[in-house]
Amino acid sequence: MSTRPALSAPTTLRHARILGLGAYRPERVVTNEEIIQFIDSSDEWIRQRSGIVTRRFAREDETVVDMAEAASRQALERAGVETGQVDAVIMATVTHPFQTPAAAPVLADRLGMTDPAAYDISAACAGYCYAIAQANDMIRAGSADTVLVVGVEKLSDFTDKHDRGSAFIFGDGAGAAVVGVADRPGIGPTIWGSLGERADAITQRESWTDLRPAMEDPGRTKGVDWPAFTMQGQTVFRWAVFSMAPVARRAVEAAGITPADLDAFVPHQANMRITDAMVKALELPEHVPVARDIAETGNTSAASIPLAMSRMLEEGEAPHGGLALQIGFGAGLVYAAQVVEMP
Ligand SMILES: CC(C)(COP(=O)(O)OP(=O)(O)OC[C@H]1O[C@@H](n2cnc3c(N)ncnc32)[C@H](O)[C@@H]1OP(=O)(O)O)[C@@H](O)C(=O)NCCC(=O)NCCS
């Protein structure tokens, strides 16, 4: 057998941390009164069952790339990072309405970046935590020095306003994080996984190809529904409440700390009652502030964790440099949790 030279590979691992966070909330505030024009419900029921008081909807002409750009510019400015320094862009979204190209290269071009790696990931409400895990590993192993992570959704485009089970839940927005090289570990090990046998629990109602026969029918006689997202609320609720607290606990243990060392708990903003149940199951010490951004933002899927963390930092509820436990979970079903040092 001929001998060949060994491939070169990095032999030392580096540390990474979040250098800056950015948030974008669309202008239009949508009240429960507006939502219940289309479903048999009430402001009281929505507040009690989900904790949602208002949510934001993007303008019709406002895209996920527009929202991601606004959040990214803020994150870059706060991180003190020039766009030219970013060498990878990961966009977590399930509402970019193009099968291809991905939104990330378009965003990178908008931001004037020079030739970064750029791609989207589809991990629904766990997307941001999945992307943070990837950014951390890329930096640790040396395939990037500075990574822009964005969680962005325009869920109003994929919500059936007549669906009683989901119309009140979702909102639009974007959150971004700049992740870079650090002199100490700033992102703990990620605990993640999936449960594909429950893919039906939250799903797009029809596939894009289901629309084709109707589109090609000249008389448009075949009924067709817009492929909005639908969910089995109780199934998701039970899974989140019973299975996610142990995942969160494992992320804290993997980081080598205890819940008492946390300065913030930032769970995916799915439902206020899920957050309450997780806090209880985790036996989180009372001094740890808990993100409750859902009240004014709704469930923004991949955007919800960076939006909620940004709010806590802006309002002084959580300290810059403190440790936060973040956990995302949703359609797939998929989940991911890690402890991060807040910027
Ligand atoms: C959607 C959700 C709020 C519904 O709450 P729930 O308590 O499970 O509601 P149920 O479906 O069991 O229905 C309870 C009752 O409320 C009624 N109801 C359901 N939707 C309603 C609505 N929009 N308005 C008023 N009443 C409603 C039902 O008819 C039922 O009435 P009944 O007791 O007389 O039969 C809840 O299941 C949930 O939050 N699930 C997780 C959602 C989530 O996080 N999704 C994103 C994951 S990333």
Side-chain angles (χ1 to χ4, degrees):
M1 203 177 86
S2 67
T3 55
R4 59 161 178 76
L7 295 180
S8 87
T11 51
T12 52
L13 291 178
R14 303 184 297 180
H15 299 306
R17 73 181 173 95
I18 298 173
L19 304 174
L21 278 179
Y24 175 76
R25 297 165 201 275
E27 228 171 86
R28 192 159 94 79
V29 175
V30 178
T31 62
N32 290 338
E33 294 300 335
E34 183 173 339
I35 297 291
I36 63 176
Q37 287 171 25
F38 306 100
I39 51 171
D40 176 15
S41 189
S42 68
D43 175 43
E44 194 195 352
W45 190 93
I46 296 171
R47 283 180 195 233
Q48 259 180 18
R49 297 294 179 119
S50 70
I52 299 169
V53 182
T54 54
R55 74 287 287 143
R56 304 285 185 109
F57 280 1
R59 293 188 316 270
E60 212 165 300
D61 66 346
E62 199 169 31
T63 67
V64 291
V65 175
D66 295 333
M67 292 191 281
E69 182 184 351
S72 300
R73 287 194 188 281
Q74 190 178 62
L76 287 160
E77 198 192 315
R78 287 178 173 170
V81 166
E82 301 290 331
T83 53
Q85 290 172 252
V86 174
D87 42 20
V89 179
I90 311 174
M91 257 173 97
T93 183
V94 289
T95 49
H96 174 52
F98 287 85
Q99 202 75 40
T100 198
V106 181
L107 171 68
D109 178 57
R110 283 260 199 105
L111 291 168
M113 289 176 176
T114 40
D115 204 21
Y119 60 101
D120 295 357
I121 61 169
S122 172
C125 310
Y128 175 75
C129 293
Y130 266 59
I132 290 288
Q134 290 188 356
N136 183 42
D137 290 352
M138 285 156 73
I139 290 169
R140 281 176 65 66
S143 35
D145 290 334
T146 311
V147 183
L148 173 67
V149 166
V150 185
V152 56
E153 302 292 0
K154 189 177 178 187
L155 283 152
S156 57
D157 271 350
F158 289 91
T159 301
D160 177 352
K161 62 185 179 187
H162 299 284
D163 178 17
R164 207 173 174 226
S166 64
F168 59 94
I169 285 265
F170 297 122
D172 302 337
V178 177
V179 184
V181 179
D183 56 8
R184 59 187 184 279
I187 298 171
T190 298
I191 306 298
W192 53 355
S194 66
L195 204 72
E197 69 261 35
R198 294 323 317 262
D200 59 340
I202 313 172
T203 177
Q204 182 170 319
R205 214 157 38 191
E206 285 83 19
S207 75
W208 295 117
T209 46
D210 287 337
L211 295 186
R212 196 165 178 167
M215 299 301 293
E216 288 177 353
D217 170 24
R220 291 277 202 279
T221 51
K222 296 189 180 85
V224 64
D225 271 335
W226 175 244
F229 297 163
T230 174
M231 71 181 174
Q232 300 166 14
Q234 285 219 12
T235 305
V236 178
F237 192 92
R238 274 196 295 266
W239 170 69
V241 166
F242 294 115
S243 307
M244 290 303 102
V247 170
R249 205 174 293 123
R250 280 169 55 208
V252 171
E253 282 164 16
I257 61 166
T258 69
D261 298 318
L262 291 169
D263 299 292
F265 176 46
V266 192
H268 164 50
Q269 303 289 288
N271 179 318
M272 196 77 88
R273 289 188 303 141
I274 292 178
T275 298
D276 289 338
M278 283 176 73
V279 167
K280 215 169 147 190
L282 278 171
E283 295 174 4
L284 206 64
E286 268 189 25
H287 71 264
V288 181
V290 178
R292 297 192 182 280
D293 188 38
I294 190 164
E296 290 174 19
T297 309
N299 176 337
T300 55
S301 191
S304 88
I305 290 173
L307 279 173
M309 189 180 285
S310 294
R311 182 193 285 270
M312 291 179 95
L313 290 169
E314 280 160 17
E315 295 183 353
E317 205 187 337
H320 294 283
L323 294 179
L325 167 61
Q326 55 185 27
I327 177 165
F329 47 88
L333 297 169
V334 293
Y335 62 86
Q338 66 253 128
V339 174
V340 300
E341 180 184 312
M342 292 178 283

